[in-house]
Amino acid sequence: MYRQLFVTAAFTAVCLQTNSQTLAREYKSTSLGNPISSSVFCADPTAIDYKGRLYVYGSNDHQQFIKNKKTGNNSYGDIKSIVVFSTEDMVNWTFHGTIDVAKICSSWNKSPWYRGFGVSWAPSVVWRTTEDGTDEFFLYFCNSSHGIGVLKADSPLGPWKSPLNELMIHRDTPGATPCSAVFDPGVTIDDNGVGWISFGGLDPVDGGNSLNPKNARIARLKPSMTALDGKPVRIMAPYHFEANELNVINGKFVYTYCSNWAERKDADWNSYCKEYGVSQPKPGACTMCYMVSDNPMDASSWVYKGVYGEHPGMPSPNNHSHLHKFKGNYYYIYHWGALMKKMKDDGVLDGSCDGFRSICVNKATVSESSQKINSVVIDSVGVSAIGSVNPYQLQEAEMMATSAGISYEDFTNITRNTRISTLGNDASQNMQVKMAEGAWIQVRRVNFGSAGAAKFTVRAKGEGTLELRLSRKVAKPVATIEISSDEMTDFTVDLDAAKVKDQKTVYLVLSSGKGIYFDAWQATEAQTEGISSVESHNAINRQRYDLSGRRLSDTEQHRGIVIEQYTDENGKKHIRKTF
């Protein structure tokens, strides 16, 4: 039996009394989209899309929060892991746990000291398909201000491994210095399959000043994606400070970064605009800016294009964003301190708490022909759903729009006497949700169809009464599931299909009991009138995988969700999730 340690995710010290039943208090509203998690502090987002899902990675602020015993400032020094979320519809987010970078890089060479591992901040992730058809994923992170590391995997969830025995870029890397901070990588792969990395920041260097710090860099990557192909080039980014990212839009390179807090003087800005052919107004402090080039290694080709993201406002101590196109829409993914502020205002966090951030998403408008990015409106509403949840497919308990009173198993596994996470890098295999009495989970836009659902199944263990409610978390339950088991067990109840049909907001509420561990759920569709024929196919080339993408043998037993892929005799591919 593997070790089970839990980090509280809902701060249930304060609850709401409703219909003589105590429900855990919400800190992310049931009507809002931001932040993407109601319980995990995380920041510095990046993203990739893969097989119809958007995967978002970020710095694990929650690790520092737990290390601080939920008080004080976020010093970032104990952030040694990366969080992973994913979504298909942009409103319901699945938490996949953390990537334990400290454990993966524990054998790194530490001589000299600045080549060894210390922390993992501000990831940037890319993926490609090689000539032999293999998918490769690369995760870059900054090791404080003195270097950039890289991890590699064959799925977006790992397992991740270190292809090197030290940082990929450090202070001995030719061309990386002078630079105040060799950090905050931003990586992209261009239309020709060539990898590029941007990095750098903080104080001016080499005769630079606050307007032209000369601390931004870009470099080509070798085909391995784990080494630089030549020396980096300096980008003359105005008021550059941190948060580098790269995109390729319509064949041109788009470099985004966060500006510094320095005073802006009109005379200085007018001189810069004249020298570099810029026609944009000067950026505000701590704003997300962007530049465009069609020849990234030519420093003079980079042109400043303006601000596309304002500072979200206090209590956010800084700014960091990623621009991403997913299913035809552009999204601005960033961090904000609104969740922490709400918890402080409600008195469930110590007043000394500061600097713990949460990842948010708002819509962006981009003209691909001109690479113009309109300034993004930042708010708590977030973005609209671009799809719906199919309840007749297996759904993970970790998928939710918001929740309260829950904890995540294998979230960080940090003890008071351990400086680093002990999670390991197969997080998604063991993910479950722990629900205390009064806890609830909301899943939005669940489409039960016109026939409705006849049965509802949950996979859980523990002891408690789990209720299925629709539209409101205080609504009368349409199903009550009595859970009593020491092992993960499937519990099924009948439904009145007339009441569970069309598109609904679903609430799963633990109304009473000692608490449960919740793994997954699925509904069974009611039969329609008439006789329907079922076409049977013989399965050819059947393959089984766990949620991290690891291939399972036909005889291997696996606890939790298994993904089955097979081809029928007509050559049609099928995929399904099973317990």
Side-chain angles (χ1 to χ4, degrees), residues 13-266:
V14 181
C15 299
L16 296 176
Q17 189 74 23
T18 309
N19 294 336
S20 74
Q21 183 182 68
T22 301
L23 297 182
R25 171 176 286 181
E26 65 183 47
Y27 298 106
K28 173 187 174 181
S29 170
T30 55
S31 62
L32 299 179
N34 283 327
I36 66 172
S37 173
S38 60
S39 53
V40 180
F41 292 126
C42 46
D44 307 323
T46 191
I48 58 172
D49 55 277
Y50 182 68
K51 294 186 176 180
R53 294 193 71 85
L54 182 71
Y55 291 84
V56 173
Y57 305 76
S59 302
N60 188 2
D61 276 20
H62 216 94
Q63 187 169 20
Q64 186 70 60
F65 178 71
I66 297 302
K67 181 68 176 180
N68 283 12
K69 301 178 183 178
K70 306 177 186 178
T71 63
N73 291 325
N74 184 358
S75 64
Y76 315 124
D78 288 287
I79 298 177
K80 301 173 187 290
S81 55
I82 303 292
V83 299
V84 188
F85 291 85
S86 76
T87 184
E88 290 183 340
D89 58 19
M90 299 303 297
V91 297
N92 295 299
W93 293 85
T94 300
F95 178 51
H96 295 288
T98 63
I99 303 168
D100 188 351
V101 185
K103 182 176 180 180
I104 298 168
C105 302
S106 60
S107 63
W108 274 13
N109 176 26
K110 297 182 180 179
S111 180
W113 65 269
Y114 52 79
R115 295 192 185 189
F117 175 81
V119 293
S120 55
W121 305 342
S124 187
V125 183
V126 293
W127 73 278
R128 67 182 180 186
T129 301
T130 62
E131 291 183 358
D132 64 2
T134 302
D135 292 339
E136 293 182 327
F137 298 79
F138 298 89
L139 186 154
Y140 304 82
F141 64 93
C142 68
N143 191 31
S144 185
S145 63
H146 57 266
I148 293 167
V150 59
L151 305 179
K152 186 178 179 180
D154 58 9
S155 92
L157 299 179
W160 295 89
K161 298 179 180 178
S162 174
L164 307 176
N165 67 349
E166 62 179 12
L167 292 171
M168 185 184 81
I169 305 174
H170 46 72
R171 295 189 176 276
D172 293 335
T173 301
T177 57
C179 185
S180 298
V182 183
F183 79 161
D184 281 15
V187 185
T188 192
I189 298 175
D190 67 21
D191 298 336
N192 297 315
V194 178
W196 300 85
I197 186 168
S198 57
F199 63 92
L202 297 188
D203 297 329
V205 296
D206 203 22
N209 52 48
S210 60
L211 191 157
N212 196 357
K214 299 182 178 181
N215 58 13
R217 302 285 187 275
I218 188 169
R220 183 187 289 111
L221 292 170
K222 289 185 176 180
S224 66
M225 297 291 290
T226 60
L228 299 187
D229 187 5
K231 290 185 178 181
V233 168
R234 181 176 290 170
I235 300 175
M236 299 304 179
Y239 299 109
H240 177 268
F241 193 62
E242 59 183 351
N244 312 284
E245 276 281 28
L246 283 172
N247 286 82
V248 176
I249 300 177
N250 195 26
K252 292 195 176 185
F253 291 78
V254 178
Y255 167 61
T256 61
Y257 66 93
C258 179
S259 67
N260 60 30
W261 296 89
E263 179 184 1
R264 273 69 163 150
K265 296 182 179 179
D266 289 340

Side-chain angles (χ1 to χ4, degrees), residues 1-6 409-410 413 423 427-432 461 488 517 519 559-560:
M1 180 178 293
Y2 58 83
R3 196 174 172 194
Q4 294 178 343
L5 294 174
F6 302 94
E409 179 176 316
D410 284 352
N413 285 1
L423 174 65
S428 61
Q429 287 193 53
N430 298 324
M431 287 301 296
Q432 301 173 1
K461 67 178 180 180
M488 274 294 169
Y517 303 105
D519 190 37
R559 184 193 62 77

Side-chain angles (χ1 to χ4, degrees), residues 296-316:
M297 296 302 285
D298 178 3
S300 64
S301 71
W302 287 97
V303 179
Y304 176 80
K305 292 294 187 178
V307 171
Y308 80 107
E310 298 292 338
H311 184 265
M314 299 307 290
S316 292

Side-chain angles (χ1 to χ4, degrees), residues 517 541 546:
Y517 303 105
N541 191 27
D546 63 31

Side-chain angles (χ1 to χ4, degrees), residues 377-494:
V377 176
I378 294 172
D379 58 32
S380 296
V381 175
V383 299
S384 300
I386 57 174
S388 59
V389 175
N390 183 353
Y392 307 119
Q393 294 179 351
L394 195 65
Q395 303 295 344
E396 300 165 55
E398 304 89 64
M399 181 195 68
M400 60 190 74
T402 187
S403 63
I406 69 163
S407 303
Y408 289 107
E409 179 176 316
D410 284 352
F411 170 31
T412 51
N413 285 1
I414 301 169
T415 67
R416 293 183 179 181
N417 298 321
T418 304
R419 294 189 63 189
I420 63 173
S421 164
T422 56
L423 174 65
N425 54 340
D426 286 316
S428 61
Q429 287 193 53
N430 298 324
M431 287 301 296
Q432 301 173 1
V433 174
K434 181 182 179 182
M435 300 183 71
E437 183 176 352
W440 52 270
I441 292 170
Q442 182 206 58
V443 184
R444 299 177 189 169
R445 291 177 63 92
V446 180
N447 189 358
F448 291 100
S450 58
K455 296 180 182 295
F456 193 77
T457 300
V458 300
R459 184 170 177 82
K461 67 178 180 180
E463 185 176 330
T465 302
L466 186 67
E467 295 181 351
L468 173 63
R469 305 179 183 182
L470 303 179
S471 301
R472 298 181 303 136
K473 64 175 181 286
V474 295
K476 182 179 179 181
V478 295
T480 300
I481 308 157
E482 299 296 339
I483 296 170
S484 181
S485 175
D486 293 332
E487 301 293 335
M488 274 294 169
T489 304
D490 294 352
F491 296 89
T492 301
V493 294
D494 293 329

